[in-house]
Amino acid sequence: MRNILIIGAGRSSASLINYLLEKSVTEKLQLTIADISIDLAESIIKNHENAKAIVLDIFDEKSRVLAIKNADIVVSMLPARFHIEVAKDCIRYKKNMVTASYVSDEMKALDAEVKAQGLVFMNEIGLDPGVDHMSAMKVIDRIRENDAKMLLFESFTGGLVAPESDSNLWNYKFTWNPRNVVLAGQGGAAKFIQEGTYKYIPYHKLFRRTEILNLPNVGKFEAYANRDSLKYIKTYGLENILTMYRGTIRRVGFSRAWNLFVQLGMTDDSYTLEGSEHMSYREFTNSFLAYNPHDSVELKLRSYLKIDQDDIMWEKLLELNIFDHTIKVGLKNATPAQVLQKILMDSWTLKKEDKDMIVMQHKFGYEYQNEKRQIESTMVVIGEDQTFTAMAKTVGLPVAIATLLILNKKITTPGVQIPITKEVYDPILKELESHGIVFNEIKTPYLGYNPDVVIG
């Protein structure tokens, strides 16, 4: 039996573990699920004969090393900041490694050692990053192989609530880490290029500069820019591209409403609130508004943000109970962002019967024989339940498939890498299609502007 060590049994691990367990007999696999919570690990494997759960504190070097030494390949589903110690152990004991996280500078610095050992360290092999890389490169490579010139690449991804479970005015519920949603877009201006012109959107304007998307058979959405689209120019080999833009998908109207929190300062995570544990939701909201002994909190907020009483934006705020004086924050030394997260989790947590939805779309503009053309490629995945969510499926399955391909020596190119080569994306995308993760392509008119006209 070949031992696969999976460190971390969080929400995205369910589909990963289930896939490998289903293959465990034919592929002769033994899974070891390591987590700080033995109950969580055991709840996923359900006494399967080819799996065992162990307690592992990632900071306990002795236990970590022992688990890694006994493995044939290591999958780290830990938060990104914890990968590096696992990676160093994998080099030391000559183990291949797979993660779904972005490649950190620390991980990148290990590349020479990884190559020297002939090891594969596959990163960014989840959904976004992961499926986005593979599905994009498959089409980009095909276009270039036909001697066509890439002009435009736009890519959008959204973790959303499925239409049948869409039951609030925001048309949104948390389908992944709520903290990441609250802090989205912070840490620097969004940077991209459109028709050869570099563009920048500061955080305080990010949610008012959206792009409308009409997705086939799914409906109308909006997207706001991700932080740094420019770094993908080199990653995808698109050095002469005119347009490079990556964005996050939401239902239409979400970004305008979210911008209210940004303008109030509720998404700030840089300082703590005095007495936050004793604050009511109403007091929290009032703390961002000017003192006025005569006006109510509601009136002050509407006046400050210029919201009419019959505006749907006002109804969205009321739905979140931010003016309730009876509900306490209950978080000590909390930042505004942490309090906002608590408030939103009251309303946006998926109910037991709710399903999530993943939507991804790429736009490829290119020139072929002096004619400008465009392809739109769209993927939609609906979750099954609260265990096998669309998010768990689209993150976990690529990790599982890559792990097995590396174990079976179908992926052999050594180094710290991401899935942008045919050796990696061809077999993984093919296997994903058999699990309902499919991209549908249509040809559309070229999106770009007339290059002979001076544009802004």
Side-chain angles (χ1 to χ4, degrees):
M1 301 293 282
R2 300 177 295 170
N3 187 19
I4 299 176
L5 172 63
I6 299 172
I7 307 176
R11 289 176 63 88
S12 296
S13 300
S15 293
L16 154 66
I17 293 168
N18 189 62
Y19 177 90
L20 292 173
L21 286 178
E22 289 180 349
K23 300 279 188 180
S24 64
V25 175
T26 56
E27 294 285 347
K28 296 182 173 57
L29 306 177
Q30 177 70 38
L31 271 59
T32 301
I33 316 302
D35 196 273
I36 194 71
S37 168
I38 190 72
D39 292 337
L40 180 60
E42 288 178 341
S43 70
I44 297 178
I45 62 177
K46 295 183 173 62
N47 296 316
H48 195 287
E49 63 179 356
N50 291 332
K52 67 176 180 179
I54 63 170
V55 176
L56 179 62
D57 180 347
I58 199 63
F59 300 110
D60 181 348
E61 183 179 0
K62 185 177 179 181
S63 298
R64 187 185 69 233
V65 166
L66 181 62
I68 290 172
K69 284 175 70 174
N70 290 332
D72 291 294
I73 189 168
V74 178
V75 179
S76 180
M77 297 300 285
L78 296 165
R81 63 187 181 277
F82 299 141
H83 292 321
I84 195 66
E85 294 306 321
V86 176
K88 289 176 181 177
D89 288 341
C90 285
I91 293 173
R92 182 181 176 189
Y93 298 106
K94 300 182 180 180
K95 310 294 182 181
N96 294 316
M97 180 177 173
V98 181
T99 86
S101 302
Y102 286 104
V103 177
S104 65
D105 290 340
E106 293 85 357
M107 185 71 77
K108 197 178 299 181
L110 299 177
D111 184 52
E113 289 181 82
V114 172
K115 286 178 177 173
Q117 296 281 14
L119 298 173
V120 178
F121 274 27
M122 185 63 66
N123 304 270
E124 302 189 20
I125 188 68
L127 168 64
D128 179 359
V131 174
D132 57 343
H133 291 325
M134 296 185 288
S135 53
M137 288 307 302
K138 180 180 179 180
V139 178
I140 291 170
D141 282 344
R142 190 176 78 217
I143 289 170
R144 289 191 290 219
E145 286 166 1
N146 288 326
D147 294 323
K149 178 185 177 183
M150 283 288 297
L151 302 173
L152 172 149
F153 177 70
E154 295 189 348
S155 180
F156 311 92
T157 307
L160 306 165
V161 62
E164 61 263 41
S165 302
D166 188 347
S167 58
N168 64 48
L169 293 174
W170 291 75
N171 308 117
Y172 186 80
K173 295 180 183 178
F174 291 125
T175 61
W176 65 310
N177 191 335
R179 179 170 170 79
N180 291 350
V181 175
V182 173
L183 299 182
Q186 299 186 40
K191 301 184 288 186
F192 51 98
I193 185 170
Q194 287 183 316
E195 289 298 308
T197 303
Y198 289 98
K199 299 291 185 181
Y200 307 91
I201 308 177
Y203 175 66
H204 72 282
K205 290 293 185 181
L206 181 64
F207 297 96
R208 296 307 292 130
R209 294 262 298 274
T210 56
E211 181 170 332
I212 296 297
L213 303 174
N214 289 294
L215 306 185
N217 304 315
V218 191
K220 191 175 182 181
F221 297 83
E222 67 185 18
Y224 62 84
N226 286 350
R227 276 188 295 184
D228 185 3
S229 296
L230 301 180
K231 66 182 181 181
Y232 290 91
I233 293 175
K234 183 177 180 181
T235 299
Y236 293 169
L238 299 173
E239 280 76 5
N240 297 313
I241 198 85
L242 293 175
T243 296
M244 169 65 82
Y245 179 100
R246 285 168 52 91
T248 297
I249 296 174
R250 293 288 182 261
R251 289 285 184 182
V252 174
F254 177 92
S255 297
R256 181 183 163 215
W258 186 263
N259 186 58
L260 301 177
F261 296 140
V262 175
Q263 300 312 311
L264 284 168
M266 289 182 175
T267 62
D268 197 319
D269 200 46
S270 65
Y271 66 94
T272 59
L273 301 164
E274 276 67 32
S276 59
E277 70 267 33
H278 304 300
M279 273 185 176
S280 68
Y281 285 6
R282 185 179 186 85
E283 287 168 333
F284 170 69
T285 301
N286 191 37
S287 67
F288 297 97
L289 302 170
Y291 175 76
N292 187 317
H294 305 295
D295 291 344
S296 67
V297 178
E298 290 88 345
L299 186 60
K300 289 192 295 182
L301 189 143
R302 283 208 309 271
S303 174
Y304 180 55
L305 295 176
K306 298 179 174 57
I307 307 174
D308 293 328
Q309 196 167 354
D310 60 353
D311 192 327
I312 187 62
M313 296 297 109
W314 182 243
E315 294 298 321
K316 288 181 178 183
L317 292 177
L318 291 177
E319 186 180 67
L320 297 174
N321 296 318
I322 67 169
F323 302 108
D324 195 303
H325 69 278
T326 65
I327 308 175
K328 298 294 183 182
V329 170
L331 300 174
K332 192 173 184 178
N333 297 323
T335 67
Q338 289 170 332
V339 177
L340 178 60
Q341 178 183 328
K342 165 76 161 48
I343 292 171
L344 296 178
M345 287 176 70
D346 289 351
S347 299
W348 291 359
T349 297
L350 290 168
K351 295 181 175 63
K352 187 177 181 180
E353 66 277 7
D354 282 344
K355 296 180 179 180
D356 69 329
M357 175 174 72
I358 299 296
V359 179
M360 183 179 288
Q361 185 183 66
H362 304 305
K363 298 180 180 181
F364 307 88
Y366 61 99
E367 186 173 9
Y368 178 70
Q369 295 182 351
N370 296 319
E371 178 188 354
K372 291 182 175 64
R373 301 179 179 182
Q374 184 161 311
I375 295 170
E376 292 183 2
S377 179
T378 306
M379 174 199 78
V380 179
V381 179
I382 304 291
E384 298 174 25
D385 52 38
Q386 286 302 296
T387 300
F388 298 105
T389 62
M391 184 67 76
K393 187 176 183 178
T394 52
V395 172
L397 285 181
V399 173
I401 296 165
T403 299
L404 196 53
L405 287 169
I406 294 168
L407 196 58
N408 288 336
K409 295 182 170 45
K410 300 291 180 63
I411 295 174
T412 58
T413 302
V416 175
Q417 59 191 280
I418 64 175
I420 55 174
T421 62
K422 282 188 178 182
E423 176 191 36
V424 179
Y425 69 65
D426 264 351
I428 295 178
L429 289 175
K430 185 176 180 180
E431 180 69 4
L432 286 175
E433 287 186 1
S434 68
H435 292 268
I437 300 176
V438 179
F439 282 83
N440 295 304
E441 293 183 14
I442 60 171
K443 295 179 180 178
T444 63
Y446 176 62
L447 182 69
Y449 304 95
N450 186 340
D452 297 325
V453 176
V454 176
I455 60 173

